[in-house]
Amino acid sequence: MKPRTLRRASELVAAGLVPPERRGEIERVVRRFAVAVTPHVAGLIEGASDPIGRQFLPDAAELRTAPEERADPIGDDRFAPLKGIVHRYPDRVLLKPLLVCPVYCRFCFRRETVGKGGALTARELAAAFGYIRRRPAIWEVIVSGGDPFLLSPRRLKTIVRELAAMPHVQVIRFHTRVPVVEPRRVTTALVAALAADKAVYVAIHANHPRELTVAARSACARLAKAGIPLLGQTVLLKGVNDDAATLEALFRALVAMRVKPYYLHHADLARGTGHFRTTLAEGRALIRALRGRVSGLCQPTYVLDLPGGHGKVPVGPCYARTHDTETWEIEDPAGVCHRYP
Ligand SMILES: *Cc1c(COP(=O)(O)O)cnc(C)c1O
Ligand code: SF4
């Protein structure tokens, strides 16, 4: 029998990923938040607390909500003029054609919505295209979800074709975890569906160097060979990648696979994710440790998506401060300060 994606507590127990005595608590988590572990990811898990298991296996800690945590941690609702669209910045818009993912990351910032709805209907999708078509200020469309690479190549092609035909849309950016968690889905047909005369970028979500398996690397290579620029997105996660050596290995591996690390996201205030969140001070110290020691290509921007919908803001360390009205004081990568006029 072909291995299937694991979704229920009983399946996780049967696969040996969760001990039988924890089945009851895991069932409660499964009722609250969607769970999915692809066979590819299941094969990488060495235990509930290893960096892969921690990201994908449900944990009773998810049932604890801290007072500062929210159902809508980055304020998407305020900027959702119609179903499937989030329009926060003037020049770009998020298009969410579906709310389904191949896996459900336990720290997901959209965990209250993903895994609960399906895909936009043909009529809803047409309305979303209409919204974008009528707004010449929209320069870029970010196709997200859920995970758009779960759509069939035929449906992906329709989306690319519709968007590329709008004269003001210059860039189409897909955000996906499929190349890492279900690499065999990146077929020749899927890659071909992304072809357009406009720039098509693919941003790949990866958090730990062990996710970059041989299969994941070849999935990325298929995209890169088709001329698609690849970006990396990483979430800073306690117990997964919150040490300089892991981040260094991850970013070096991504760059060597032709994936440019774009953002390192500070973990959002999604409900039941406190066990993953570092402090901003810890994040800044990690970024500082990479600067100067690791190639500039391997340095993503450390960003916080402000609660309330105020947008993404770089929150990395600052190396320049005013000394007096005439002079700046600039810290070099070794931590030594220099005067600059
Ligand atoms: C993250 C996000 C974007 C993309 O932001 P970039 O800084 O361009 O990567 C666009 N719209 C919304 C609503 C977002 O949350
Ligand atoms: S792939 Fe993205 S949207 Fe889906 S569960 Fe993970 S973080 Fe959330």
Side-chain angles (χ1 to χ4, degrees):
M1 205 175 78
K2 215 164 109 204
R4 282 188 307 136
T5 292
L6 311 170
R7 300 181 187 274
R8 289 199 302 238
S10 57
E11 294 170 332
L12 295 171
V13 171
L17 295 171
V18 165
E21 64 274 17
R22 282 183 53 211
R23 178 169 166 171
E25 67 192 56
I26 298 304
E27 269 167 4
R28 281 193 291 141
V29 180
V30 172
R31 276 199 293 275
R32 178 72 179 82
F33 300 109
V35 170
V37 181
T38 57
H40 180 81
V41 165
L44 295 176
I45 296 176
E46 287 169 357
S49 58
D50 96 317
I52 314 294
R54 222 174 128 68
Q55 291 185 68
F56 303 108
L57 294 178
D59 190 297
E62 295 173 46
L63 299 169
R64 288 196 298 269
T65 299
E68 68 274 18
E69 291 176 345
R70 323 171 169 211
D72 179 22
I74 64 169
D76 277 351
D77 293 350
R78 271 181 61 196
F79 296 93
L82 74 167
K83 208 173 163 194
I85 292 275
V86 185
H87 194 182
R88 180 183 295 148
Y89 305 105
D91 75 327
R92 56 213 191 274
V93 76
L94 282 192
L95 170 64
K96 301 191 283 187
L98 81 175
L99 291 174
V100 183
C101 296
V103 285
Y104 290 102
C105 311
R106 307 325 298 161
F107 49 84
C108 176
F109 65 127
R110 293 211 183 102
R111 62 192 330 219
E112 308 278 352
T113 50
V114 291
K116 293 179 184 172
L120 293 186
T121 63
R123 172 184 287 209
E124 287 164 342
L125 191 57
F129 288 141
Y131 179 91
I132 299 167
R133 195 175 293 116
R134 287 191 303 276
R135 285 173 178 74
I138 298 175
W139 174 84
E140 178 182 22
V141 178
I142 298 154
V143 190
S144 166
D147 197 316
F149 278 17
L150 287 189
L151 296 170
S152 67
R154 185 181 56 82
R155 296 181 69 195
L156 274 175
K157 196 172 181 160
T158 306
I159 291 176
V160 171
R161 198 187 332 105
E162 288 277 346
L163 295 174
M166 300 180 200
H168 53 288
V169 173
Q170 296 293 317
V171 179
I172 304 167
R173 187 198 324 171
F174 286 89
H175 280 219
T176 177
R177 207 148 169 37
V178 162
V180 164
V181 298
E182 208 172 10
R184 65 187 169 84
R185 274 194 90 91
V186 184
T187 56
T188 314
L190 183 142
V191 176
L194 303 177
D197 291 334
K198 301 284 177 73
V200 175
Y201 281 68
V202 172
I204 295 162
H205 174 178
N207 300 326
H208 192 276
R210 272 191 39 226
E211 291 169 38
L212 308 176
T213 58
V214 172
R217 285 164 201 259
S218 26
C220 292
R222 291 194 285 282
L223 293 162
K225 283 205 180 105
I228 297 169
L230 303 177
L231 303 170
Q233 293 212 104
T234 298
V235 185
L236 180 59
L237 298 166
K238 194 187 276 182
V240 173
N241 58 17
D242 62 335
D243 63 277
T246 302
L247 289 179
E248 176 177 341
L250 172 67
F251 298 144
R252 282 196 195 278
L254 286 170
V255 170
M257 299 163 54
R258 303 192 183 90
V259 180
K260 165 72 189 103
Y262 173 54
Y263 279 155
L264 174 66
H265 294 271
H266 188 72
D268 292 311
L269 292 171
R271 286 184 184 151
T273 62
H275 52 303
F276 284 113
R277 219 168 298 118
T278 65
T279 63
L280 276 175
E282 287 161 347
R284 294 170 66 124
L286 287 168
I287 293 291
R288 204 173 260 280
L290 296 182
R291 178 56 66 183
R293 207 160 68 91
V294 182
S295 162
L297 283 175
C298 303
Q299 316 269 349
T301 305
Y302 178 37
V303 290
L304 170 68
D305 213 322
L306 272 169
H310 305 288
K312 291 183 187 66
V313 184
V315 288
C318 180
Y319 301 91
R321 46 189 166 264
T322 46
H323 175 69
D324 55 39
T325 52
E326 309 278 287
T327 335
W328 285 85
E329 194 169 281
I330 315 278
E331 191 182 328
D332 71 21
V336 180
C337 284
H338 305 268
R339 296 284 158 79
Y340 186 82

